[in-house]
Coordinates of all heavy atoms in Angstrom, one line a residue:
M527 N -5.1 16.1 3.8 CA -4.1 15.2 4.2 C -3.0 15.2 3.2 O -3.2 15.0 2.0 CB -4.7 13.8 4.3 CG -3.7 12.7 4.7 SD -4.3 11.0 4.8 CE -5.7 11.2 5.9
D528 N -1.8 15.5 3.7 CA -0.6 15.5 2.7 C -0.1 14.1 2.6 O -0.5 13.1 3.2 CB 0.4 16.5 3.2 CG 1.1 16.1 4.4 OD1 1.1 15.0 4.9 OD2 1.8 17.0 5.0
M529 N 1.0 14.0 1.7 CA 1.5 12.7 1.3 C 2.2 12.0 2.5 O 2.0 10.8 2.7 CB 2.5 12.8 0.2 CG 1.9 13.1 -1.1 SD 2.9 13.4 -2.6 CE 4.5 12.7 -2.2
K530 N 2.9 12.8 3.4 CA 3.5 12.1 4.5 C 2.5 11.6 5.5 O 2.6 10.5 6.1 CB 4.4 13.2 5.2 CG 5.7 13.4 4.5 CD 6.6 14.3 5.3 CE 7.8 14.6 4.5 NZ 9.0 14.9 5.3
E531 N 1.4 12.3 5.7 CA 0.3 11.9 6.6 C -0.3 10.6 6.0 O -0.6 9.6 6.8 CB -0.8 12.9 6.8 CG -0.4 14.1 7.7 CD -1.5 15.1 7.7 OE1 -1.9 15.6 6.7 OE2 -1.9 15.5 8.8
F532 N -0.5 10.6 4.7 CA -1.1 9.4 4.1 C -0.2 8.2 4.2 O -0.7 7.1 4.6 CB -1.4 9.6 2.6 CG -2.0 8.5 1.9 CD1 -3.4 8.3 2.0 CD2 -1.3 7.5 1.2 CE1 -4.0 7.2 1.4 CE2 -1.9 6.5 0.6 CZ -3.3 6.3 0.7
E533 N 1.1 8.3 4.0 CA 2.0 7.2 4.1 C 2.2 6.7 5.6 O 2.8 5.7 5.8 CB 3.3 7.5 3.4 CG 3.2 7.5 1.9 CD 4.5 7.3 1.2 OE1 5.6 7.4 1.8 OE2 4.4 7.1 0.0
S534 N 1.8 7.6 6.5 CA 1.9 7.1 7.9 C 0.8 6.3 8.4 O 0.8 5.8 9.5 CB 2.1 8.4 8.8 OG 0.9 9.1 8.9
L535 N -0.3 6.2 7.6 CA -1.4 5.4 7.9 C -1.1 3.9 7.9 O -0.3 3.5 7.0 CB -2.6 5.6 6.9 CG -3.1 7.1 6.9 CD1 -4.2 7.2 5.8 CD2 -3.7 7.5 8.2
A536 N -1.7 3.1 8.8 CA -1.4 1.7 8.8 C -2.2 1.0 7.7 O -1.8 -0.1 7.3 CB -1.8 1.1 10.2
F537 N -3.2 1.6 7.2 CA -4.0 1.0 6.1 C -4.1 2.0 5.0 O -4.6 3.2 5.3 CB -5.4 0.6 6.6 CG -6.3 0.1 5.6 CD1 -6.3 -1.3 5.2 CD2 -7.2 0.9 4.9 CE1 -7.1 -1.8 4.3 CE2 -8.1 0.4 3.9 CZ -8.0 -1.0 3.6
Q538 N -3.6 1.7 3.8 CA -3.6 2.7 2.7 C -4.4 2.1 1.6 O -4.1 0.9 1.2 CB -2.2 3.0 2.3 CG -1.4 3.6 3.4 CD 0.1 3.7 3.1 OE1 0.5 3.7 2.0 NE2 0.9 3.9 4.1
E539 N -5.2 2.9 0.9 CA -5.9 2.4 -0.2 C -5.5 3.2 -1.5 O -5.3 4.4 -1.4 CB -7.5 2.6 0.0 CG -8.3 1.9 -1.1 CD -9.8 1.9 -0.7 OE1 -10.1 2.2 0.4 OE2 -10.6 1.6 -1.7
Y540 N -5.4 2.4 -2.6 CA -4.9 3.0 -3.9 C -5.9 2.6 -5.0 O -6.5 1.5 -4.8 CB -3.5 2.6 -4.2 CG -2.5 3.1 -3.3 CD1 -2.2 2.5 -2.1 CD2 -1.7 4.2 -3.6 CE1 -1.2 2.9 -1.2 CE2 -0.7 4.7 -2.8 CZ -0.5 4.0 -1.6 OH 0.5 4.5 -0.7
I541 N -5.9 3.4 -6.1 CA -6.7 3.0 -7.2 C -6.0 3.3 -8.5 O -5.3 4.3 -8.6 CB -8.1 3.7 -7.2 CG1 -9.1 3.1 -8.2 CG2 -8.0 5.2 -7.3 CD1 -10.5 3.5 -8.0
D542 N -6.2 2.5 -9.5 CA -5.7 2.7 -10.9 C -6.9 3.4 -11.6 O -7.9 2.7 -11.8 CB -5.3 1.4 -11.6 CG -4.9 1.7 -13.0 OD1 -5.3 2.7 -13.6 OD2 -4.1 0.8 -13.5
N543 N -6.9 4.6 -11.8 CA -8.0 5.3 -12.4 C -8.4 4.9 -13.8 O -9.5 5.1 -14.3 CB -7.8 6.9 -12.3 CG -8.0 7.4 -10.9 OD1 -8.8 7.0 -10.2 ND2 -7.1 8.3 -10.6
E544 N -7.4 4.3 -14.5 CA -7.7 3.9 -15.9 C -8.5 2.5 -15.9 O -9.4 2.3 -16.7 CB -6.4 3.7 -16.7 CG -5.7 5.0 -17.0 CD -4.4 4.8 -17.7 OE1 -4.2 3.7 -18.3 OE2 -3.6 5.8 -17.7
T545 N -8.1 1.6 -15.0 CA -8.7 0.3 -15.1 C -9.7 0.1 -13.9 O -10.5 -0.9 -14.0 CB -7.6 -0.8 -14.9 OG1 -7.0 -0.7 -13.6 CG2 -6.6 -0.7 -16.0
G546 N -9.6 0.9 -12.9 CA -10.5 0.8 -11.8 C -10.0 -0.2 -10.7 O -10.6 -0.5 -9.7
A547 N -8.8 -0.8 -11.0 CA -8.2 -1.8 -10.0 C -8.0 -1.1 -8.7 O -7.5 0.1 -8.7 CB -6.9 -2.3 -10.6
R548 N -8.3 -1.8 -7.6 CA -8.1 -1.2 -6.3 C -7.1 -2.0 -5.5 O -7.1 -3.2 -5.6 CB -9.4 -1.1 -5.5 CG -10.4 -0.2 -6.1 CD -11.7 -0.2 -5.3 NE -12.3 -1.5 -5.1 CZ -12.9 -1.9 -4.0 NH1 -13.1 -1.0 -3.0 NH2 -13.4 -3.1 -3.9
Y549 N -6.3 -1.3 -4.7 CA -5.2 -2.0 -3.9 C -5.2 -1.5 -2.5 O -5.7 -0.3 -2.3 CB -3.8 -1.7 -4.5 CG -3.7 -2.1 -6.0 CD1 -4.0 -1.1 -7.0 CD2 -3.3 -3.3 -6.4 CE1 -3.9 -1.5 -8.3 CE2 -3.2 -3.7 -7.7 CZ -3.5 -2.7 -8.6 OH -3.4 -3.1 -10.0
V550 N -4.8 -2.3 -1.6 CA -4.7 -1.9 -0.2 C -3.3 -2.3 0.3 O -2.7 -3.3 -0.1 CB -5.7 -2.5 0.8 CG1 -7.1 -1.9 0.4 CG2 -5.7 -4.0 0.7
L551 N -2.7 -1.5 1.1 CA -1.4 -1.7 1.8 C -1.8 -1.8 3.3 O -2.4 -0.9 3.8 CB -0.4 -0.7 1.6 CG 0.5 -0.8 0.4 CD1 -0.3 -0.9 -0.9 CD2 1.6 0.2 0.3
D552 N -1.4 -2.9 4.0 CA -1.6 -3.1 5.4 C -0.3 -3.1 6.1 O 0.6 -3.9 5.7 CB -2.4 -4.4 5.7 CG -3.8 -4.3 5.4 OD1 -4.4 -3.2 5.7 OD2 -4.4 -5.3 4.9
F553 N -0.1 -2.3 7.1 CA 1.1 -2.3 7.9 C 1.3 -3.5 8.8 O 0.4 -3.9 9.4 CB 1.1 -1.0 8.8 CG 2.4 -0.9 9.6 CD1 3.6 -0.5 9.1 CD2 2.3 -1.2 11.0 CE1 4.7 -0.4 9.9 CE2 3.5 -1.1 11.8 CZ 4.6 -0.7 11.2
I554 N 2.5 -4.1 8.7 CA 2.8 -5.2 9.6 C 4.1 -4.8 10.4 O 5.1 -4.5 9.8 CB 3.1 -6.5 8.8 CG1 1.9 -6.9 7.9 CG2 3.4 -7.7 9.7 CD1 0.6 -7.2 8.5
E555 N 4.0 -4.9 11.7 CA 5.1 -4.5 12.5 C 6.1 -5.7 12.6 O 5.6 -6.9 12.9 CB 4.7 -4.1 13.9 CG 5.8 -3.6 14.8 CD 5.2 -3.0 16.1 OE1 4.0 -3.0 16.3 OE2 6.1 -2.7 16.9
G556 N 7.3 -5.5 12.4 CA 8.4 -6.5 12.5 C 8.7 -6.9 13.9 O 8.3 -6.2 14.8
N557 N 9.4 -7.9 14.1 CA 9.7 -8.4 15.5 C 11.0 -7.7 16.0 O 11.4 -8.0 17.1 CB 9.8 -9.9 15.5 CG 10.9 -10.5 14.6 OD1 11.8 -9.7 14.2 ND2 10.8 -11.7 14.4
G558 N 11.7 -6.9 15.1 CA 12.8 -6.2 15.6 C 14.1 -7.0 15.6 O 15.1 -6.5 16.1
Y559 N 14.2 -8.2 15.1 CA 15.4 -9.0 15.2 C 15.9 -9.2 13.8 O 15.4 -9.9 12.9 CB 15.1 -10.4 15.8 CG 14.6 -10.3 17.2 CD1 13.2 -10.5 17.5 CD2 15.5 -10.0 18.2 CE1 12.8 -10.4 18.8 CE2 15.0 -9.9 19.5 CZ 13.7 -10.1 19.8 OH 13.2 -10.1 21.1
G560 N 17.0 -8.5 13.5 CA 17.7 -8.7 12.2 C 16.9 -8.1 11.0 O 15.9 -7.4 11.2
E561 N 17.4 -8.4 9.8 CA 16.7 -7.9 8.6 C 15.3 -8.3 8.5 O 14.5 -7.6 8.0 CB 17.5 -8.4 7.3 CG 18.6 -7.5 7.0 CD 19.3 -8.0 5.7 OE1 18.5 -8.0 4.6 OE2 20.5 -8.3 5.7
D562 N 15.0 -9.5 8.8 CA 13.6 -10.1 8.7 C 12.7 -9.5 9.7 O 11.5 -9.6 9.6 CB 13.6 -11.6 8.8 CG 14.3 -12.2 7.6 OD1 14.4 -11.6 6.5 OD2 14.8 -13.4 7.8
G563 N 13.2 -8.8 10.7 CA 12.4 -8.1 11.7 C 12.0 -6.7 11.4 O 11.4 -6.1 12.3
E564 N 12.2 -6.3 10.2 CA 11.8 -4.9 9.8 C 10.3 -4.8 9.6 O 9.6 -5.7 9.2 CB 12.5 -4.5 8.5 CG 14.1 -4.6 8.6 CD 14.6 -3.6 9.6 OE1 14.1 -2.5 9.8 OE2 15.6 -4.0 10.3
D565 N 9.8 -3.6 9.8 CA 8.4 -3.3 9.5 C 8.2 -3.3 8.0 O 9.0 -3.0 7.2 CB 8.0 -1.9 10.0 CG 8.1 -1.8 11.6 OD1 8.1 -2.8 12.3 OD2 8.2 -0.7 12.1
F566 N 6.9 -3.7 7.6 CA 6.6 -3.7 6.2 C 5.1 -3.6 5.9 O 4.4 -3.6 6.9 CB 7.2 -5.0 5.5 CG 6.5 -6.3 6.0 CD1 5.5 -6.8 5.3 CD2 7.0 -6.9 7.2 CE1 4.9 -8.0 5.8 CE2 6.4 -8.1 7.6 CZ 5.4 -8.6 7.0
F567 N 4.8 -3.5 4.7 CA 3.3 -3.4 4.3 C 3.1 -4.6 3.4 O 3.9 -5.0 2.5 CB 3.0 -2.2 3.5 CG 2.9 -0.9 4.3 CD1 4.1 -0.2 4.6 CD2 1.7 -0.5 4.8 CE1 4.0 1.0 5.4 CE2 1.6 0.7 5.5 CZ 2.8 1.4 5.8
T568 N 1.9 -5.2 3.5 CA 1.5 -6.2 2.5 C 0.7 -5.5 1.4 O 0.1 -4.5 1.7 CB 0.6 -7.3 3.2 OG1 -0.6 -6.6 3.7 CG2 1.2 -8.1 4.2
I569 N 0.8 -6.0 0.2 CA 0.1 -5.4 -0.9 C -0.9 -6.4 -1.4 O -0.6 -7.5 -1.7 CB 1.1 -5.1 -2.1 CG1 2.3 -4.2 -1.6 CG2 0.4 -4.4 -3.2 CD1 3.4 -4.2 -2.6
K570 N -2.2 -5.9 -1.4 CA -3.3 -6.8 -1.9 C -4.1 -6.0 -2.9 O -4.3 -4.8 -2.8 CB -4.1 -7.2 -0.7 CG -3.4 -8.0 0.4 CD -4.2 -8.2 1.6 CE -3.4 -8.9 2.7 NZ -4.1 -8.9 3.9
Q571 N -4.6 -6.8 -3.9 CA -5.5 -6.2 -4.8 C -6.9 -6.6 -4.4 O -7.2 -7.8 -4.0 CB -5.3 -6.7 -6.2 CG -6.2 -6.1 -7.3 CD -5.7 -6.4 -8.7 OE1 -4.8 -7.1 -8.9 NE2 -6.5 -5.8 -9.6
L572 N -7.9 -5.7 -4.4 CA -9.2 -5.9 -4.1 C -10.0 -6.3 -5.3 O -10.0 -5.6 -6.3 CB -9.9 -4.7 -3.4 CG -9.3 -4.3 -2.1 CD1 -10.0 -3.1 -1.6 CD2 -9.4 -5.4 -1.1
G573 N -10.8 -7.4 -5.2 CA -11.7 -7.8 -6.3 C -13.0 -7.1 -6.3 O -13.2 -6.2 -5.4
E574 N -13.9 -7.4 -7.2 CA -15.2 -6.7 -7.2 C -16.0 -7.0 -6.0 O -16.8 -6.1 -5.6 CB -16.0 -7.2 -8.5 CG -15.4 -6.6 -9.8 CD -16.2 -7.1 -11.0 OE1 -17.3 -7.4 -10.8 OE2 -15.6 -7.0 -12.1
D575 N -15.9 -8.1 -5.4 CA -16.6 -8.4 -4.2 C -15.7 -8.2 -2.9 O -16.0 -8.7 -1.9 CB -17.0 -9.9 -4.2 CG -15.9 -10.9 -4.4 OD1 -14.7 -10.4 -4.5 OD2 -16.1 -12.1 -4.3
D576 N -14.7 -7.3 -3.0 CA -13.8 -7.0 -2.0 C -12.9 -8.1 -1.5 O -12.3 -8.1 -0.4 CB -14.5 -6.3 -0.8 CG -14.9 -4.9 -1.1 OD1 -14.3 -4.3 -2.0 OD2 -15.8 -4.4 -0.4
A577 N -12.9 -9.2 -2.3 CA -12.0 -10.3 -2.0 C -10.5 -9.8 -2.2 O -10.3 -9.1 -3.1 CB -12.3 -11.5 -2.9
E578 N -9.6 -10.2 -1.3 CA -8.2 -9.7 -1.4 C -7.4 -10.8 -2.1 O -7.4 -12.0 -1.7 CB -7.7 -9.4 0.0 CG -8.5 -8.3 0.7 CD -8.0 -8.0 2.1 OE1 -7.2 -8.9 2.6 OE2 -8.3 -7.0 2.6
E579 N -6.5 -10.3 -3.0 CA -5.5 -11.2 -3.6 C -4.1 -10.7 -3.2 O -3.8 -9.5 -3.5 CB -5.6 -11.2 -5.1 CG -4.6 -12.0 -5.8 CD -4.6 -11.9 -7.3 OE1 -5.6 -11.4 -7.9 OE2 -3.6 -12.3 -8.0
F580 N -3.4 -11.5 -2.5 CA -2.1 -11.1 -2.0 C -1.1 -11.0 -3.2 O -1.0 -11.9 -4.0 CB -1.5 -12.1 -1.0 CG -0.2 -11.8 -0.5 CD1 0.0 -10.9 0.5 CD2 0.9 -12.5 -1.0 CE1 1.3 -10.6 1.0 CE2 2.2 -12.2 -0.5 CZ 2.4 -11.2 0.5
L581 N -0.4 -9.8 -3.3 CA 0.5 -9.5 -4.4 C 2.0 -9.5 -4.0 O 2.9 -9.8 -4.7 CB 0.2 -8.2 -5.1 CG -1.2 -8.1 -5.7 CD1 -1.4 -6.7 -6.2 CD2 -1.4 -9.1 -6.8
G582 N 2.2 -9.2 -2.7 CA 3.6 -9.2 -2.2 C 3.7 -8.3 -1.0 O 2.7 -7.9 -0.3
T583 N 4.9 -7.8 -0.7 CA 5.2 -6.9 0.4 C 6.1 -5.8 -0.1 O 6.8 -5.9 -1.1 CB 5.9 -7.7 1.6 OG1 7.1 -8.2 1.1 CG2 5.0 -8.8 2.1
T584 N 6.2 -4.8 0.7 CA 7.1 -3.6 0.4 C 7.6 -3.1 1.8 O 6.8 -3.1 2.8 CB 6.4 -2.5 -0.4 OG1 7.4 -1.6 -0.8 CG2 5.2 -1.9 0.4
P585 N 8.8 -2.7 1.9 CA 9.4 -2.2 3.2 C 8.7 -0.9 3.6 O 8.2 -0.1 2.7 CB 10.8 -1.9 2.9 CG 11.0 -1.9 1.4 CD 9.8 -2.6 0.8
D586 N 8.6 -0.6 4.9 CA 8.1 0.6 5.4 C 9.2 1.7 5.3 O 9.9 2.0 6.3 CB 7.7 0.4 6.8 CG 7.1 1.7 7.4 OD1 6.7 2.6 6.7 OD2 7.1 1.8 8.7
N587 N 9.4 2.2 4.1 CA 10.5 3.2 3.9 C 10.0 4.6 3.5 O 10.8 5.4 3.0 CB 11.5 2.6 2.8 CG 10.8 2.4 1.5 OD1 9.7 2.7 1.3 ND2 11.5 1.7 0.6
G588 N 8.7 4.8 3.5 CA 8.2 6.1 3.2 C 8.0 6.4 1.7 O 7.8 7.5 1.3
D589 N 8.1 5.3 0.9 CA 8.0 5.5 -0.6 C 6.9 4.8 -1.2 O 6.9 4.4 -2.3 CB 9.3 5.0 -1.3 CG 10.5 6.0 -1.1 OD1 10.2 7.2 -0.9 OD2 11.6 5.5 -1.1
N590 N 5.8 4.5 -0.4 CA 4.7 3.7 -0.9 C 4.0 4.4 -2.1 O 3.6 3.7 -3.0 CB 3.7 3.5 0.2 CG 4.2 2.6 1.3 OD1 5.2 1.9 1.1 ND2 3.6 2.6 2.5
I591 N 3.8 5.7 -2.0 CA 3.0 6.4 -3.1 C 3.8 6.3 -4.4 O 3.2 5.9 -5.4 CB 2.8 7.8 -2.7 CG1 1.8 7.9 -1.6 CG2 2.3 8.6 -3.9 CD1 1.5 9.3 -1.0
K592 N 5.1 6.4 -4.3 CA 6.0 6.3 -5.5 C 5.9 4.9 -6.1 O 5.8 4.6 -7.3 CB 7.4 6.7 -5.3 CG 7.6 8.2 -5.0 CD 9.1 8.5 -4.7 CE 9.2 9.8 -4.0 NZ 10.6 9.9 -3.5
M593 N 6.1 3.9 -5.2 CA 6.1 2.5 -5.6 C 4.8 2.1 -6.2 O 4.8 1.4 -7.2 CB 6.5 1.6 -4.3 CG 6.6 0.1 -4.6 SD 5.1 -0.8 -4.7 CE 4.4 -0.5 -3.1
M594 N 3.7 2.5 -5.6 CA 2.4 2.1 -6.1 C 2.2 2.7 -7.5 O 1.6 2.1 -8.4 CB 1.3 2.4 -5.2 CG 1.3 1.6 -3.9 SD 1.1 -0.2 -4.2 CE -0.6 -0.2 -4.8
A595 N 2.6 4.0 -7.7 CA 2.5 4.6 -9.0 C 3.3 3.9 -10.0 O 2.9 3.7 -11.2 CB 2.9 6.1 -8.9
W596 N 4.6 3.5 -9.7 CA 5.5 2.9 -10.6 C 5.0 1.5 -10.9 O 5.0 1.1 -12.1 CB 6.9 2.9 -10.0 CG 7.9 2.2 -10.8 CD1 8.3 0.9 -10.7 CD2 8.6 2.7 -12.0 NE1 9.2 0.6 -11.7 CE2 9.4 1.7 -12.5 CE3 8.5 3.9 -12.6 CZ2 10.2 1.8 -13.6 CZ3 9.3 4.1 -13.8 CH2 10.2 3.1 -14.2
E597 N 4.7 0.7 -9.9 CA 4.4 -0.8 -10.1 C 3.0 -1.0 -10.6 O 2.8 -2.0 -11.4 CB 4.7 -1.5 -8.8 CG 6.1 -1.6 -8.4 CD 7.0 -2.5 -9.3 OE1 6.4 -3.5 -9.8 OE2 8.1 -2.2 -9.4
Y598 N 2.0 -0.2 -10.1 CA 0.6 -0.6 -10.4 C -0.2 0.6 -11.0 O -1.4 0.5 -11.2 CB -0.1 -1.0 -9.0 CG 0.6 -2.2 -8.4 CD1 1.5 -2.0 -7.3 CD2 0.4 -3.4 -8.8 CE1 2.1 -3.1 -6.8 CE2 1.0 -4.6 -8.3 CZ 1.8 -4.4 -7.2 OH 2.5 -5.4 -6.7
N599 N 0.5 1.7 -11.3 CA -0.2 2.8 -11.9 C -1.3 3.3 -11.0 O -2.4 3.7 -11.5 CB -0.7 2.5 -13.4 CG -1.1 3.8 -14.1 OD1 -0.4 4.8 -13.9 ND2 -2.1 3.7 -14.9
A600 N -1.2 3.2 -9.7 CA -2.2 3.5 -8.8 C -1.9 4.8 -8.0 O -0.7 5.0 -7.6 CB -2.4 2.3 -7.9
V601 N -2.9 5.5 -7.6 CA -2.8 6.7 -6.8 C -3.5 6.6 -5.5 O -4.5 5.7 -5.4 CB -3.3 7.9 -7.6 CG1 -2.4 8.2 -8.8 CG2 -4.7 7.8 -7.9
P602 N -3.2 7.3 -4.5 CA -3.9 7.2 -3.2 C -5.3 7.5 -3.3 O -5.7 8.4 -4.0 CB -3.1 8.2 -2.3 CG -1.8 8.4 -2.9 CD -2.1 8.2 -4.4
V603 N -6.1 6.8 -2.5 CA -7.6 7.2 -2.3 C -7.6 7.9 -1.0 O -7.3 7.4 0.1 CB -8.5 5.9 -2.2 CG1 -9.9 6.3 -1.9 CG2 -8.4 5.1 -3.5
R604 N -7.9 9.2 -1.1 CA -7.9 10.1 0.1 C -9.4 10.3 0.5 O -10.2 10.8 -0.3 CB -7.2 11.4 -0.2 CG -5.8 11.1 -0.5 CD -5.0 12.4 -0.7 NE -3.7 12.1 -1.3 CZ -2.8 13.0 -1.4 NH1 -3.0 14.2 -1.0 NH2 -1.6 12.7 -1.9
K605 N -9.7 10.0 1.7 CA -11.0 10.2 2.2 C -11.1 11.7 2.6 O -10.2 12.3 3.2 CB -11.3 9.4 3.4 CG -11.0 7.9 3.2 CD -12.1 7.2 2.6 CE -11.8 5.7 2.6 NZ -12.0 5.0 1.4
V606 N -12.3 12.4 2.3 CA -12.5 13.7 2.7 C -13.5 13.8 3.9 O -14.3 13.0 4.1 CB -13.0 14.6 1.6 CG1 -12.0 15.6 1.2 CG2 -13.5 13.8 0.4

């Protein structure tokens, strides 16, 4: 799976290989009305018991891999 295919997934998982921190991005479809109606992803950190902690949102602009590397030092978890 290449980077574009990964970023087109509605659910994306990332990991910080240094700390073991895990993150998920979930796609949320906007309502299509104005700026607030844009599609976006929620960003959540997964705890040891898979409990999710909401961290924020990011626009659906095709830059999730770069943003996660910059903000959280995290890389995609690719299933084989």
